[in-house]
Amino acid sequence: MGILTKDVAIDLGTANTLIYVKGKGVVIREPSVVAVDRYTGKIVAVGSEANHMIGRTPDNIIAVRPMKDGVIADFDITQAMIKHFIRKADVVGIMKPRVVVCIPSGITEVERRAVEEAVIQAGAKEVALIEEPMAAAIGAGLPVNRATGSMIMDIGGGTTEVAVISMGGIVSSRSIRVAGDALDNAIINYLKKNAGINVGDKMAEEIKFEIGSAYEDDDEALFDVRGRDVQTGLPKTVQIKESQIREAMRENIGEMLEAVKLTLEHTPPELAADVMERGIMLTGGGALIKGLDRLLTSVTKIPAYVAEYPLDCVAVGTGKALDNIKELLARRK
Ligand code: ADP
Ligand code: MG
């Protein structure tokens, strides 16, 4: 157990929760998943351990993802999950930690309060909030405090956040509930309709990792998809092509591009000119979709870059905001 108070940053994502401890960096990186006993309601496991249990335990153990579309869908389970991760991060000593947590830019006051409340009940002394695009931009190393336009696009599990930042503030932004989970669902629906095969969430995500791509190039990867025949319900394997998955994801990726265009349209011309020149920085797990950067560049004519550690940017940026925790706390009062 830690002795002194530690300042902690939490990236409470729909897909992954990360905890950053001042002086140490990111110490927890786990899926936002909790295994619950369906009959007793008891929590059986949290994070990676819960993820591992799914499908390997009796039917009464179910996986719950307590965050949905960037906001809390199940308060009690979210609070228990945060408590578990804070303990695991070893930051609860004699004094409770002060916490900065990031939230999507588009959420309501009620949704914000729920995040604060969950973190307090999980054992924090005080909580400050920071907007996710700002955290992502800081974590990706963009010069957010300079008088120049920086554009960030963070594609997570539940939400895609696009923002232009200048002089420490968000100038224009868009948050849409189309991101990694939506792509998985699109793949499920496409395969059902076009290949006669039913696949689960995990398989759909794996297909996305293996052959998902946004931009057409010369090579056409193949993947053996395992699932169940739509008609007979029997196990079935079908070979699927990269181009089919690109087709499956096309509409959702189009919506992501639209969010970029709309954000630019609402950006003052000088700052938009900065963005045209300096480019768009991609963060979040969705930044790893093959060819997304190339597609963005070909559609918008703006250079696009994938951050070095896209899955860590929000946590690292929220962690850096710990240096201004007093200011952030004062802002809430
Ligand atoms: P959140 O902040 O919402 O928790 P993350 O930034 O952790 O989300 O990203 C999780 C999303 O990124 C998931 O939908 C996951 O499937 C997707 N993802 C992770 N790695 C890849 C990859 N290599 N290719 C495509 N998508 C990916
Ligand atoms: Mg995120």
Side-chain angles (χ1 to χ4, degrees):
M1 248 203 202
I3 300 290
L4 299 167
T5 309
K6 289 178 179 137
D7 288 341
V8 178
I10 303 178
D11 169 9
L12 188 58
T14 306
N16 296 293
T17 297
L18 283 76
I19 295 192
Y20 176 108
V21 178
K22 199 168 177 172
K24 283 194 185 164
V26 177
V27 296
I28 300 272
R29 236 183 231 101
E30 297 203 31
S32 307
V33 177
V34 178
V36 178
D37 185 312
R38 188 206 300 262
Y39 302 114
T40 64
K42 252 190 80 180
I43 289 173
V44 186
V46 179
S48 311
E49 202 192 329
N51 218 21
H52 188 75
M53 282 176 91
I54 305 312
R56 292 186 175 83
T57 45
D59 283 351
N60 59 314
I61 309 289
I62 52 165
V64 177
R65 288 179 60 183
M67 302 291 297
K68 196 172 175 355
D69 298 334
V71 299
I72 295 177
D74 186 317
F75 186 87
D76 292 340
I77 293 183
T78 301
Q79 177 252 314
M81 181 179 80
I82 299 170
K83 194 176 207 165
H84 174 95
F85 288 143
I86 289 182
R87 285 242 178 86
K88 197 167 174 184
D90 194 26
V91 286
V92 187
I94 290 168
M95 311 231 282
K96 292 176 165 184
R98 293 190 301 184
V99 175
V100 177
V101 52
C102 61
I103 45 157
S105 53
I107 74 174
T108 67
E109 188 58 26
V110 173
E111 290 166 333
R112 282 168 179 256
R113 294 266 175 228
V115 171
E116 286 177 326
E117 197 51 41
V119 176
I120 290 287
Q121 287 191 20
K125 181 173 162 238
E126 288 176 289
V127 186
L129 303 176
I130 173 174
E131 291 191 308
E132 214 156 18
M134 183 60 80
I138 296 170
L142 296 179
V144 294
N145 292 318
R146 254 197 263 154
T148 183
S150 294
M151 185 174 238
I152 186 88
M153 179 178 200
D154 180 86
I155 306 169
T159 56
T160 294
E161 310 254 333
V162 183
V164 173
I165 294 169
S166 175
M167 297 185 74
I170 293 175
V171 177
S172 67
S173 68
R174 270 272 178 305
S175 172
I176 57 167
R177 297 187 171 190
V178 178
D181 293 342
L183 295 176
D184 299 347
N185 286 328
I187 291 171
I188 291 173
N189 292 332
Y190 178 92
L191 293 176
K192 187 182 292 174
K193 234 168 112 188
N194 300 283
I197 184 167
N198 278 320
V199 300
D201 295 346
K202 278 242 152 60
M203 187 72 214
E205 190 179 42
E206 199 183 328
I207 297 166
K208 180 179 69 178
F209 291 165
E210 296 297 328
I211 59 166
S213 76
Y215 193 81
E216 190 174 347
D217 59 15
D218 291 338
D219 49 79
E220 169 96 300
L222 302 170
F223 189 74
D224 285 331
V225 172
R226 280 167 291 114
R228 286 181 184 282
D229 189 285
V230 171
Q231 300 290 331
T232 65
L234 293 172
K236 171 172 163 174
T237 301
V238 182
Q239 194 174 67
I240 296 296
K241 291 189 238 151
E242 186 178 325
S243 53
Q244 290 178 284
I245 299 307
R246 188 161 50 247
E247 181 54 36
M249 305 196 305
R250 188 183 305 280
E251 195 178 326
N252 284 327
I253 288 185
E255 288 175 60
M256 295 175 192
L257 293 180
E258 198 53 36
V260 170
K261 287 190 208 154
L262 285 170
T263 306
L264 274 174
E265 277 172 30
H266 289 87
T267 301
E270 294 78 13
L271 295 177
D274 294 339
V275 171
M276 296 294 291
E277 194 184 314
R278 303 169 40 82
I280 307 172
M281 181 64 80
L282 300 173
T283 63
L288 293 167
I289 297 163
K290 193 181 142 204
L292 185 65
D293 47 352
R294 285 177 70 186
L295 180 70
L296 262 168
T297 303
S298 90
V299 172
T300 63
K301 309 291 171 229
I302 303 172
Y305 308 98
V306 179
E308 196 177 354
Y309 300 103
L311 287 152
D312 280 11
C313 288
V314 168
V316 169
T318 309
K320 288 193 179 152
L322 287 170
D323 295 339
N324 309 318
I325 191 166
K326 284 215 176 99
E327 248 173 69
L328 289 170
L329 285 166
R331 226 195 269 172
R332 288 300 289 166
K333 299 212 169 107

